Amino acid sequence: MTVHRIQGSEVEYGIAVQGQPQANPMVASTHVVNAYAAAHGLTRRARWDYEEESPLRDARGFDLSREVADPSQLTDEDMGLANIILTNGARLYVDHAHPEYSSPEVTSPLDVVRWEKAGELVMRRAAELAGQIPGVGPIVLYKNNIDNKGAAYGSHENYLMRRDVPFLTIVEQLTPFFVSRQIMCGAGRVGQGQDGGVHAFQISQRADYFEVEAGLETTLKRPIINTRDEPHADPKKYRRLHVIIGDANLSEVSIYLKHGTTALVLAMIEAGALPEPLELADPVHALHLVSHDPTLRTAVELADGTTITALDLQGHYLEQAQKFVETEGHDDPQTRDVLDRWESVLERLAADPMDLVRELDWVAKLALLQRYRDRDGLDWDHAKLHLVDLQYHDVRPERGLYHRLVASGRMERLLDEERIAEAVTEPPRDTRAYFRGRCLDRFAEHIAAASWDSVIFDLPGYDSLQRVPTMEPLKGTAEHVDGLFGRVETAVELFRAITGR
Amino acid sequence: MAEQQHKTTRKSEVSEEQVEPTEVDTAHKEKLDDDVDSILDEIDDVLEENAEEFVRSFVQKGGQ
């Protein structure tokens, strides 16, 4: 029982060209990615390799035909949009009309925090660089999920799981957890309903955009459990659980708890350690109800007709996790820390949510909004409150309200800034991202393409491109390949040493 | 504020540090209130001008 497993995150950023509301967001996003690539010696721009991608494969056992798929689901078609790999092993690209940073694969929730926050620094720098291109205009990025006018964009989590766990079990056990975990990891929102038509605060940015319980889509009819079956690893051994229901968090504690508690629930599902699942009468409705009540008092209906609060749903999973760790009789420091924080956060949320003002995004945002309401007598439909909501997510340190809270010591940090800054260029040492990142760092001019599960070399003296598969996420670590990188001078030497070809 | 205690707590031995919850929480809360008030002045200085126009013009295309 541990929070350690292969995991990672993907965040699509909101984008605005200041003073040019009509600017094409795809063009602006492309500038963001390309400007970063050009400034960091990644001009060859190793493209993404789509060979192992299968966005239409459903974990329930069927493939959606390309003809009936919505065009937005065809994420494996190279649209000619910017798409690069960074030396830290991350992917920086344009997804639909947003710049996106996908973290490298890491092995713990704290490392997710580190490389996801590094992504914020990448995006901040990329926007600055793009804004310096003549004729482009100042570009501002927002680590949020909505425009409050009907559009939503994602922040996803990924967890590698054992293939032999029945997918239906995962759906049944995870649904009540996902409906309720927003009380820890919601990012807060002014406005209810997809278009924000109801003037009130809610806990989650994304909740109102979820319409079904399980499904393949990510851009329409969004499901609480996404069934995309695209493991980016040996499909006989692994599945990748692709979680689309999270909010984009600025708070380090929120990111940490989001990944940490989810990893624990997955560990219990894999071990068969959870009792019969608590079945919600209407999970989608419950998701919305929980989000709409920042007092956390609302109880949602279970299939047996009884009701339960989000706090008690989370308490149920916490209790199971504590029991399981006790029976197993062993744990590790980060697992212990996640369990302790989880318990502490739930206890304090039950007493007074405002006690979490230094730790959780939605509480920090709500506290600011309440002060503005009290001081200036503003109703929830006031533009200033919407501005506070939006600007909380601005990635610029001088403008972003989250960053203002951090700068004045008002948010709890888990990592110091140097550790995060290092992760902008350094890959995690304990996954295949290390091999990918080092290849880009050392031999960018000879890498034609790469993806989660391959690096493709374009080598002098070889007629065709040479693909090195990386199907095992725990191979290609610093331990495995540091010696190799120390010995070789050229990409050809590296390739020959690996393959013998 | 602190009357509603630990609805989700299952263990009786938890939270020694919360022996005097009311007193501690009140002091803590007042400090928080001061703190948040003082940040409003700071945030006023960095908030984008013309909130209404700024918020209206933030229009995004849907994503995943």
Side-chain angles (χ1 to χ4, degrees), chain A residues 100-384:
Chain A
E100 173 164 339
Y101 171 92
S102 298
S103 82
E105 307 90 324
V106 298
T107 60
S108 75
L110 194 59
D111 278 350
V112 172
V113 176
R114 190 173 169 210
W115 270 275
E116 183 175 318
K117 296 304 277 188
E120 294 177 28
L121 299 183
V122 168
M123 285 294 187
R124 181 188 295 170
R125 183 71 188 130
E128 283 168 9
L129 290 163
Q132 290 163 11
I133 299 169
V136 170
I139 291 177
V140 183
L141 299 179
Y142 296 87
K143 193 187 185 194
N144 72 348
N145 301 106
I146 55 164
D147 69 359
N148 224 7
K149 298 167 188 72
Y153 32 100
S155 61
H156 299 172
E157 302 139 66
N158 297 294
Y159 304 88
L160 203 67
M161 292 190 70
R162 278 191 358 228
R163 167 65 62 179
D164 60 359
V165 181
F167 196 74
L168 189 62
T169 306
I170 298 173
V171 173
E172 288 173 349
Q173 294 286 9
L174 268 182
T175 299
F177 177 73
F178 280 170
V179 163
S180 53
R181 73 173 188 167
Q182 54 179 311
I183 63 174
M184 298 187 293
C185 55
R189 174 181 174 197
V190 177
Q192 295 179 1
Q194 293 194 356
D195 64 358
V198 178
H199 303 300
F201 180 84
Q202 65 174 312
I203 291 170
S204 161
Q205 292 246 305
R206 295 267 283 170
D208 287 349
Y209 297 89
F210 283 75
E211 299 172 55
V212 299
E213 292 174 33
L216 196 52
E217 290 84 1
T218 54
T219 56
L220 61 160
K221 287 185 294 177
R222 291 186 184 86
I224 294 173
I225 307 279
N226 183 239
T227 56
R228 185 185 292 181
D229 191 357
E230 191 182 26
H232 298 311
D234 182 347
K236 288 187 213 60
K237 288 161 69 176
Y238 304 114
R239 75 168 73 252
R240 172 182 61 129
L241 185 71
H242 185 233
V243 177
I244 70 167
I245 197 168
D247 284 357
N249 287 117
L250 279 306
S251 151
E252 294 178 9
V253 173
S254 288
I255 299 171
Y256 180 65
L257 282 176
K258 177 167 63 180
H259 277 263
T261 60
T262 302
L264 288 178
V265 173
L266 296 182
M268 289 191 286
I269 292 173
E270 284 181 337
L274 285 170
E276 282 298 298
L278 292 165
E279 193 187 341
L280 289 163
D282 183 346
V284 174
H285 185 52
L287 175 74
H288 300 165
L289 286 178
V290 169
S291 183
H292 293 181
D293 177 24
T295 71
L296 310 183
R297 295 204 181 98
T298 296
V300 297
E301 199 182 337
L302 291 169
D304 66 6
T306 61
T307 62
I308 188 166
T309 63
L311 276 165
D312 285 342
L313 277 170
Q314 283 294 303
H316 162 78
Y317 287 97
L318 168 64
E319 191 173 0
Q320 297 301 325
Q322 288 170 327
K323 267 194 215 159
F324 189 52
V325 162
E326 270 172 42
T327 26
E328 276 208 329
H330 66 85
D331 59 334
D332 53 86
Q334 203 173 128
T335 300
R336 174 47 53 197
D337 185 54
V338 168
L339 281 168
D340 290 348
R341 275 183 187 274
W342 192 3
E343 179 172 27
S344 162
V345 165
L346 293 184
E347 277 174 7
R348 287 180 293 139
L349 281 173
D352 178 6
M354 278 301 143
D355 198 45
L356 283 302
V357 71
R358 296 171 52 83
E359 289 157 75
L360 305 183
D361 279 321
W362 75 265
V363 182
K365 187 187 278 183
L366 178 57
L368 282 179
L369 293 163
Q370 282 294 4
R371 291 301 140 195
Y372 269 105
R373 282 165 53 75
D374 294 346
R375 190 190 73 177
D376 301 345
L378 308 178
D379 288 328
W380 281 115
D381 64 345
H382 200 280
K384 195 163 187 177

